[in-house]
Amino acid sequence: MKKIIIVGIALLFAAVKMYSQVENRASLFYSYYAPSSEDGFGNIEQSNIDFQYNLKTKVIAKKMRWDNAFSYKTVLLDDDVNENNLTDLSYAASFVYTKNAKNFLIGNARVNYRTENNTAITNDAIYPALSFGYMRQSQKNKSIRWATGLNYNNDFGKNVLLPFFIFNYEKPKMKFNATLPTSVLLLMRSNPKFYYGLNATLNSSIFEVDDPNYDRLKLLNANFFAFSQIKLHNKFWLEIKPGITLRRDVDFLQNNFDPVNSSAENRLEPNFVITSGIVYRMN
């Protein structure tokens, strides 16, 4: 019954026209695979299967760009950590409000439903996040934008408040974007059918689980990738991102987000990781 409800929610969100500030695209399939590690827990193997929509931008009253995005992710772990798959269902809405040619207000609201597949639907599995900031367009160099602000989330812990900083430099054949502290991207477009670059990412997710020893499971991954994007046909692209995990943490939490054992060290050794997917570019 729960799977039917989740699929119904997914179809409802998919019916809404959505977009991304970075690129109008749909990730038809995405996989993330990190092999087992012999450190800490013994063998830990993690793989993700993602499905994401970023669709067309909406413009409101000629002053505000409104973006929407939907994603669905399944996380598979070794049975020693968790016997059931984890589900991450996300909806995000963001906006850019134009004050004038060089000053903008930006914001983002996101809600994730993260839970173990066999867990009954509950409010404890809902994890909201909210960002608000100021963005400025350089008047001397139109290729440069920067932004700063605050982000509230429940990804790294309960009710975490973090500052963020964004720097974006883009030319027809090159793009550099740093969204700190979560992502740094260098993309080269020297060939219209082949892109390549480097990408560093930091992400953390907390899931509600049904286990007698703990109530929540937190996964933190810091990755560094070298990637390539290859045009297959028309607007379909293949993206391959091999890399290494700079940091991998698996933490067992109580219902109040405190660690079950605060003295435990649950960090895994760096390891190989590969991400791949089929992307449909709509612009």
Side-chain angles (χ1 to χ4, degrees), residues 70-140:
F70 161 78
S71 67
Y72 176 85
K73 177 169 67 177
T74 297
V75 182
L76 302 92
L77 296 170
D78 277 357
D79 290 344
D80 291 341
V81 178
N82 191 269
E83 295 181 356
N84 299 285
N85 298 342
L86 304 173
T87 295
D88 187 348
L89 181 64
S90 173
Y91 169 74
S94 58
F95 74 87
V96 177
Y97 177 77
T98 304
K99 295 186 68 177
N100 50 49
K102 60 182 179 180
N103 296 299
F104 308 85
L105 297 177
I106 60 174
N108 177 274
R110 172 175 54 84
V111 60
N112 290 75
Y113 184 82
R114 302 195 191 108
T115 184
E116 200 174 38
N117 283 359
N118 67 333
T119 304
I121 293 178
T122 170
N123 290 337
D124 289 339
I126 298 175
Y127 298 87
L130 183 67
S131 299
F132 185 78
Y134 164 78
M135 183 170 68
R136 185 176 178 88
Q137 169 81 57
S138 172
Q139 299 303 292
K140 294 183 179 180

